Protein backbone atom coordinates (compact mmCIF):
# COMPACT_ATOMS: atom_id res chain seq x y z
CA UNK A 1 0.00 0.00 0.00
CA UNK A 2 1.47 3.32 -1.10
CA UNK A 3 1.80 6.16 1.38
CA UNK A 4 0.06 8.67 -0.89
CA UNK A 5 -2.91 6.30 -1.29
CA UNK A 6 -3.27 6.01 2.49
CA UNK A 7 -3.12 9.80 2.87
CA UNK A 8 -5.69 10.25 0.09
CA UNK A 9 -8.17 7.84 1.70
CA UNK A 10 -7.69 9.48 5.12
CA UNK A 11 -8.18 12.95 3.62
CA UNK A 12 -11.35 11.89 1.75
CA UNK A 13 -12.87 10.36 4.88
CA UNK A 14 -11.95 13.36 7.05
CA UNK A 15 -13.20 15.91 4.49
CA UNK A 16 -16.43 13.94 4.01
CA UNK A 17 -16.97 14.00 7.77
CA UNK A 18 -16.38 17.76 7.92
CA UNK A 19 -18.57 18.47 4.87
CA UNK A 20 -21.42 16.27 6.08
CA UNK A 21 -21.22 17.65 9.62
CA UNK A 22 -21.21 21.24 8.36
CA UNK A 23 -24.17 20.57 6.07
CA UNK A 24 -26.18 19.00 8.91
CA UNK A 25 -25.26 21.93 11.18
CA UNK A 26 -26.53 24.41 8.59
CA UNK A 27 -29.72 22.36 8.18
CA UNK A 28 -30.26 22.51 11.94
CA UNK A 29 -29.93 26.30 11.88
CA UNK A 30 -32.51 26.39 9.09
CA UNK A 31 -34.89 24.23 11.10
CA UNK A 32 -34.48 26.56 14.09
CA UNK A 33 -35.24 29.62 11.93
CA UNK A 34 -38.32 27.88 10.48
CA UNK A 35 -39.57 27.03 13.97
CA UNK A 36 -39.06 30.66 15.04
CA UNK A 37 -41.01 31.90 12.02
CA UNK A 38 -43.90 29.50 12.62
CA UNK A 39 -44.14 30.37 16.32
CA UNK A 40 -44.01 34.10 15.50
CA UNK A 41 -46.87 33.85 13.00
CA UNK A 42 -49.02 32.03 15.56
CA UNK A 43 -48.12 34.47 18.31
CA UNK A 44 -48.90 37.54 16.17
CA UNK A 45 -52.23 36.09 15.11
CA UNK A 46 -53.27 35.52 18.72
CA UNK A 47 -51.40 38.11 20.80
CA UNK A 48 -50.21 40.72 18.30
CA UNK A 49 -52.62 43.39 19.46
CA UNK A 50 -51.27 43.12 22.99
CA UNK A 51 -47.77 44.07 21.80
CA UNK A 52 -48.59 46.59 19.10
CA UNK A 53 -50.36 49.52 20.76
CA UNK A 54 -49.88 53.24 21.04
CA UNK A 55 -47.49 52.94 23.98
CA UNK A 56 -45.12 50.41 22.37
CA UNK A 57 -45.10 52.31 19.07
CA UNK A 58 -44.30 55.53 20.92
CA UNK A 59 -41.45 53.82 22.84
CA UNK A 60 -39.99 52.40 19.62
CA UNK A 61 -40.11 55.81 17.93
CA UNK A 62 -38.31 57.35 20.90
CA UNK A 63 -35.66 54.63 20.67
CA UNK A 64 -35.16 55.41 16.99
CA UNK A 65 -34.75 59.08 17.76
CA UNK A 66 -32.29 58.43 20.57
CA UNK A 67 -30.17 56.02 18.49
CA UNK A 68 -30.43 57.99 15.21
CA UNK A 69 -31.41 54.76 13.47
CA UNK A 70 -33.60 51.71 13.81
CA UNK A 71 -33.76 50.38 17.38
CA UNK A 72 -35.67 47.31 18.47
CA UNK A 73 -37.56 46.54 21.65
CA UNK A 74 -37.28 43.06 23.14
CA UNK A 75 -40.48 41.18 23.93
CA UNK A 76 -40.35 37.99 25.96
CA UNK A 77 -43.65 36.23 25.63
CA UNK A 78 -44.45 32.96 27.41
CA UNK A 79 -47.04 31.91 24.84
CA UNK A 80 -44.59 32.50 22.00
CA UNK A 81 -42.03 30.35 23.80
CA UNK A 82 -44.56 27.56 24.33
CA UNK A 83 -45.39 27.51 20.62
CA UNK A 84 -41.81 26.56 19.73
CA UNK A 85 -41.72 22.89 18.78
CA UNK A 86 -37.98 22.65 19.54
CA UNK A 87 -37.85 22.44 23.31
CA UNK A 88 -34.23 23.59 23.50
CA UNK A 89 -35.30 27.01 22.17
CA UNK A 90 -37.80 27.68 24.92
CA UNK A 91 -36.41 30.15 27.40
CA UNK A 92 -33.71 31.18 24.92
CA UNK A 93 -35.94 32.94 22.38
CA UNK A 94 -37.65 36.30 22.24
CA UNK A 95 -39.37 38.64 19.80
CA UNK A 96 -37.84 41.94 18.76
CA UNK A 97 -40.08 44.75 17.61
CA UNK A 98 -39.24 47.96 15.79
CA UNK A 99 -41.14 50.67 13.92
CA UNK A 100 -40.07 51.74 10.43
CA UNK A 101 -41.09 54.70 8.30
CA UNK A 102 -43.91 53.87 5.90
CA UNK A 103 -41.63 54.08 2.85
CA UNK A 104 -38.78 52.00 4.31
CA UNK A 105 -38.14 48.53 2.89
CA UNK A 106 -37.10 45.37 4.69
CA UNK A 107 -33.45 46.33 4.27
CA UNK A 108 -34.01 49.14 6.74
CA UNK A 109 -34.64 46.65 9.52
CA UNK A 110 -32.23 46.33 12.41
CA UNK A 111 -29.57 43.75 13.17
CA UNK A 112 -29.96 41.46 16.16
CA UNK A 113 -26.98 40.22 18.12
CA UNK A 114 -28.54 36.79 18.66
CA UNK A 115 -27.04 33.74 17.02
CA UNK A 116 -30.10 32.81 14.91
CA UNK A 117 -32.94 35.01 13.70
CA UNK A 118 -36.07 34.24 11.72
CA UNK A 119 -37.54 36.32 8.91
CA UNK A 120 -38.71 39.88 9.47
CA UNK A 121 -42.49 40.22 9.53
CA UNK A 122 -43.97 43.59 8.50
CA UNK A 123 -47.48 44.46 9.70
CA UNK A 124 -49.61 47.59 9.31
CA UNK A 125 -51.93 47.86 12.31
CA UNK A 126 -54.32 50.81 12.55
CA UNK A 127 -52.37 52.32 15.44
CA UNK A 128 -49.17 52.32 13.34
CA UNK A 129 -50.82 53.94 10.31
CA UNK A 130 -51.98 56.81 12.47
CA UNK A 131 -48.34 57.40 13.43
CA UNK A 132 -47.11 57.11 9.83
CA UNK A 133 -45.04 54.00 10.53
CA UNK A 134 -45.17 50.24 10.06
CA UNK A 135 -44.24 47.57 12.59
CA UNK A 136 -41.48 45.02 12.06
CA UNK A 137 -41.30 41.84 14.13
CA UNK A 138 -38.67 39.16 14.26
CA UNK A 139 -38.14 36.04 16.37
CA UNK A 140 -34.64 35.35 17.67
CA UNK A 141 -32.94 32.45 19.45
CA UNK A 142 -29.87 32.82 21.63
CA UNK A 143 -28.37 29.46 20.61
CA UNK A 144 -24.76 28.57 21.20
CA UNK A 145 -22.74 26.50 18.77
CA UNK A 146 -23.05 23.49 21.08
CA UNK A 147 -26.85 23.82 21.19
CA UNK A 148 -27.18 23.89 17.41
CA UNK A 149 -24.71 21.03 17.10
CA UNK A 150 -26.76 18.93 19.52
CA UNK A 151 -29.87 19.56 17.42
CA UNK A 152 -28.16 18.45 14.20
CA UNK A 153 -27.77 14.84 13.12
CA UNK A 154 -24.06 14.14 13.42
CA UNK A 155 -24.19 10.32 13.35
CA UNK A 156 -22.84 9.98 9.81
CA UNK A 157 -20.06 12.59 10.27
CA UNK A 158 -18.95 10.91 13.51
CA UNK A 159 -18.93 7.53 11.75
CA UNK A 160 -16.83 8.94 8.91
CA UNK A 161 -14.46 10.60 11.37
CA UNK A 162 -14.01 7.36 13.31
CA UNK A 163 -13.40 5.55 10.01
CA UNK A 164 -10.73 8.11 9.12
CA UNK A 165 -9.03 7.67 12.50
CA UNK A 166 -9.13 3.87 12.25
CA UNK A 167 -7.77 4.04 8.72
CA UNK A 168 -4.96 6.31 9.89
CA UNK A 169 -4.01 3.92 12.71
CA UNK A 170 -4.17 0.94 10.36
CA UNK A 171 -2.04 2.70 7.76
CA UNK A 172 0.65 3.63 10.29
CA UNK A 173 0.79 0.08 11.65
CA UNK A 174 0.92 -1.36 8.14
CA UNK A 175 3.68 0.99 7.03
CA UNK A 176 5.66 0.33 10.21
CA UNK A 177 5.38 -3.40 9.68
CA UNK A 178 6.17 -3.08 5.98
CA UNK A 179 9.21 -0.96 6.84
CA UNK A 180 10.49 -3.62 9.22
CA UNK A 181 9.95 -6.30 6.57
CA UNK A 182 11.80 -4.18 4.02
CA UNK A 183 14.69 -3.75 6.44
CA UNK A 184 14.75 -7.49 7.06
CA UNK A 185 14.79 -8.08 3.31
CA UNK A 186 17.67 -5.62 3.03
CA UNK A 187 19.60 -7.65 5.60
CA UNK A 188 19.06 -10.77 3.50
CA UNK A 189 20.22 -9.02 0.33
CA UNK A 190 23.25 -7.73 2.19
CA UNK A 191 24.14 -11.23 3.29
CA UNK A 192 23.76 -12.42 -0.29
CA UNK A 193 26.06 -9.69 -1.62
CA UNK A 194 28.81 -10.31 0.91
CA UNK A 195 29.31 -13.29 3.20
CA UNK A 196 32.03 -14.36 5.57
CA UNK A 197 33.22 -17.97 5.71
CA UNK A 198 34.63 -19.04 9.09
CA UNK A 199 36.51 -22.03 7.71
CA UNK A 200 38.45 -20.16 5.07
CA UNK A 201 38.50 -16.96 7.09
CA UNK A 202 37.60 -15.04 3.94
CA UNK A 203 34.85 -12.86 2.48
CA UNK A 204 33.00 -13.82 -0.71
CA UNK A 205 30.77 -11.71 -2.94
CA UNK A 206 27.57 -12.84 -4.72
CA UNK A 207 29.70 -14.46 -7.47
CA UNK A 208 31.60 -16.51 -4.87
CA UNK A 209 34.72 -14.54 -5.59
CA UNK A 210 37.08 -13.78 -2.72
CA UNK A 211 37.05 -10.16 -1.64
CA UNK A 212 40.47 -9.36 -0.26
CA UNK A 213 40.65 -7.08 2.77
CA UNK A 214 43.50 -6.12 5.06
CA UNK A 215 43.26 -7.63 8.57
CA UNK A 216 41.89 -4.37 9.98
CA UNK A 217 39.40 -4.01 7.10
CA UNK A 218 38.34 -7.61 7.56
CA UNK A 219 37.66 -7.04 11.27
CA UNK A 220 35.61 -3.94 10.54
CA UNK A 221 33.58 -5.75 7.86
CA UNK A 222 32.73 -8.52 10.30
CA UNK A 223 31.52 -5.88 12.72
CA UNK A 224 29.32 -4.32 10.02
CA UNK A 225 27.76 -7.65 9.02
CA UNK A 226 26.96 -8.57 12.62
CA UNK A 227 25.63 -5.14 13.65
CA UNK A 228 21.89 -4.45 13.72
CA UNK A 229 20.98 -2.60 10.56
CA UNK A 230 24.66 -2.88 9.53
CA UNK A 231 25.22 0.36 11.46
CA UNK A 232 28.15 1.16 13.76
CA UNK A 233 28.85 4.29 15.72
CA UNK A 234 32.25 5.90 15.63
CA UNK A 235 32.80 5.12 19.32
CA UNK A 236 31.89 1.46 18.84
CA UNK A 237 34.45 1.04 16.07
CA UNK A 238 37.24 2.92 17.85
CA UNK A 239 36.77 1.14 21.18
CA UNK A 240 36.84 -2.26 19.47
CA UNK A 241 39.66 -1.79 16.97
CA UNK A 242 41.87 0.58 18.97
CA UNK A 243 40.93 0.12 22.63
CA UNK A 244 44.07 1.72 24.01
CA UNK A 245 44.12 4.77 21.78
CA UNK A 246 42.81 8.05 23.17
CA UNK A 247 41.67 9.52 19.85
CA UNK A 248 41.46 7.19 16.87
CA UNK A 249 39.31 9.49 14.70
CA UNK A 250 41.99 10.07 12.05
CA UNK A 251 42.90 6.38 11.96
CA UNK A 252 39.23 5.43 11.52
CA UNK A 253 38.79 8.03 8.78
CA UNK A 254 41.75 6.58 6.87
CA UNK A 255 40.49 3.03 7.33
CA UNK A 256 37.00 3.91 6.03
CA UNK A 257 38.44 5.90 3.13
CA UNK A 258 40.53 2.93 1.93
CA UNK A 259 37.77 0.40 2.56
CA UNK A 260 35.06 2.18 0.52
CA UNK A 261 36.51 1.53 -2.98
CA UNK A 262 37.15 -2.13 -2.14
CA UNK A 263 33.50 -2.59 -1.11
CA UNK A 264 32.04 -0.71 -4.05
CA UNK A 265 34.21 -2.46 -6.66
CA UNK A 266 33.52 -5.99 -5.43
CA UNK A 267 29.92 -5.81 -4.15
CA UNK A 268 26.75 -3.84 -4.68
CA UNK A 269 27.24 -2.16 -1.32
CA UNK A 270 28.74 1.02 0.03
CA UNK A 271 29.60 2.66 3.34
CA UNK A 272 27.68 5.83 4.19
CA UNK A 273 28.62 8.33 6.87
CA UNK A 274 25.98 9.73 9.23
CA UNK A 275 27.37 13.19 10.02
CA UNK A 276 30.66 11.68 11.13
CA UNK A 277 29.06 10.06 14.19
CA UNK A 278 28.25 6.68 12.68
CA UNK A 279 28.73 4.58 9.54
CA UNK A 280 26.24 2.30 7.80
CA UNK A 281 26.81 -0.50 5.29
CA UNK A 282 24.06 -0.09 2.68
CA UNK A 283 23.00 -1.66 -0.59
Amino acid sequence: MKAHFSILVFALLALSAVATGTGNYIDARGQIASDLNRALVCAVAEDGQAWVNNDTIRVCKQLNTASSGIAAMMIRDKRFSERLSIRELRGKSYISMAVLPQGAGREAAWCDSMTISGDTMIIYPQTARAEGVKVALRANADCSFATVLSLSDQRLPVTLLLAAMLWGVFSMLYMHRNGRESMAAAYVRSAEMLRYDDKSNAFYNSSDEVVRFTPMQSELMRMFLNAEGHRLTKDEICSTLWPGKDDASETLYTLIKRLKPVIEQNTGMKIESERGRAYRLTI
Side-chain angles (χ1 to χ4, degrees):
M1 181 171 58
K2 301 294 185 182
H4 66 272
F5 175 75
S6 299
I7 296 174
L8 178 61
V9 173
F10 176 82
L12 287 175
L13 289 172
L15 289 175
S16 298
V18 172
T20 306
T22 302
N24 291 348
Y25 180 87
I26 294 174
D27 290 341
R29 287 180 61 94
Q31 292 172 6
I32 291 173
S34 297
D35 194 29
L36 290 172
N37 290 336
R38 184 195 56 78
L40 177 62
V41 170
C42 294
V44 170
E46 297 179 13
D47 302 325
Q49 292 181 354
W51 309 331
V52 183
N53 52 51
N54 291 331
D55 292 335
T56 55
I57 291 176
R58 190 177 302 109
V59 169
C60 288
K61 291 181 68 176
Q62 291 174 354
L63 289 173
N64 290 348
T65 302
S67 62
S68 301
I70 304 299
M73 182 174 64
M74 179 188 298
I75 301 173
R76 291 196 177 274
D77 186 83
K78 183 178 180 181
R79 294 182 183 179
F80 162 74
S81 180
E82 291 174 347
R83 292 183 182 92
L84 293 167
S85 59
I86 302 176
R87 289 184 172 274
E88 289 78 3
L89 301 181
R90 298 174 183 177
K92 297 181 179 180
S93 303
Y94 71 93
I95 298 170
S96 51
M97 170 183 165
V99 295
L100 309 176
Q102 286 284 0
R106 289 178 180 268
E107 65 278 2
W110 66 103
C111 294
D112 287 289
S113 60
M114 296 296 98
T115 304
I116 302 176
S117 297
D119 297 329
T120 300
M121 177 186 294
I122 305 296
I123 60 176
Y124 298 89
Q126 185 64 37
T127 52
R129 292 174 188 164
E131 296 287 339
V133 296
K134 55 187 176 180
V135 177
L137 299 168
R138 182 188 298 162
N140 307 280
D142 186 10
C143 293
S144 64
F145 173 83
T147 301
V148 180
L149 190 66
S150 67
L151 294 173
S152 62
D153 185 2
Q154 297 295 328
R155 288 174 295 180
L156 179 58
V158 170
T159 301
L160 290 172
L161 185 59
L162 288 175
M165 295 174 64
L166 290 174
W167 176 263
V169 172
F170 166 77
S171 298
M172 287 189 293
L173 292 175
Y174 178 85
M175 291 179 184
H176 178 70
R177 179 181 177 183
N178 190 52
R180 294 181 63 181
E181 291 177 351
S182 298
M183 184 176 294
Y187 294 164
V188 173
R189 291 196 298 271
S190 298
E192 292 174 348
M193 290 181 179
L194 185 68
R195 64 182 178 84
Y196 176 72
D197 184 71
D198 291 326
K199 294 181 180 180
S200 61
N201 193 27
F203 286 90
Y204 296 86
N205 59 19
S206 58
S207 301
D208 281 335
E209 298 173 342
V210 176
V211 181
R212 301 189 182 281
F213 296 113
T214 66
M216 193 64 73
Q217 291 174 348
S218 179
E219 181 65 24
L220 180 56
M221 288 306 302
R222 282 195 296 268
M223 292 176 63
F224 271 125
L225 292 180
N226 293 327
E228 183 179 355
H230 304 321
R231 180 183 181 276
L232 295 169
T233 65
K234 179 180 175 181
D235 291 339
E236 287 175 335
I237 299 174
C238 291
S239 62
T240 302
L241 298 183
W242 306 284
K245 199 169 185 176
D246 294 337
D247 186 4
S249 299
E250 289 298 326
T251 307
L252 174 58
Y253 174 78
T254 302
L255 176 61
I256 294 293
K257 181 179 179 181
R258 293 177 179 176
L259 179 59
K260 283 183 177 181
V262 181
I263 289 293
E264 294 174 4
Q265 291 170 10
N266 292 276
T267 70
M269 308 174 73
K270 62 181 179 179
I271 298 176
E272 294 182 345
S273 174
E274 296 182 359
R275 298 183 179 180
R277 294 194 296 267
Y279 295 94
R280 186 188 296 274
L281 185 66
T282 62
I283 299 174

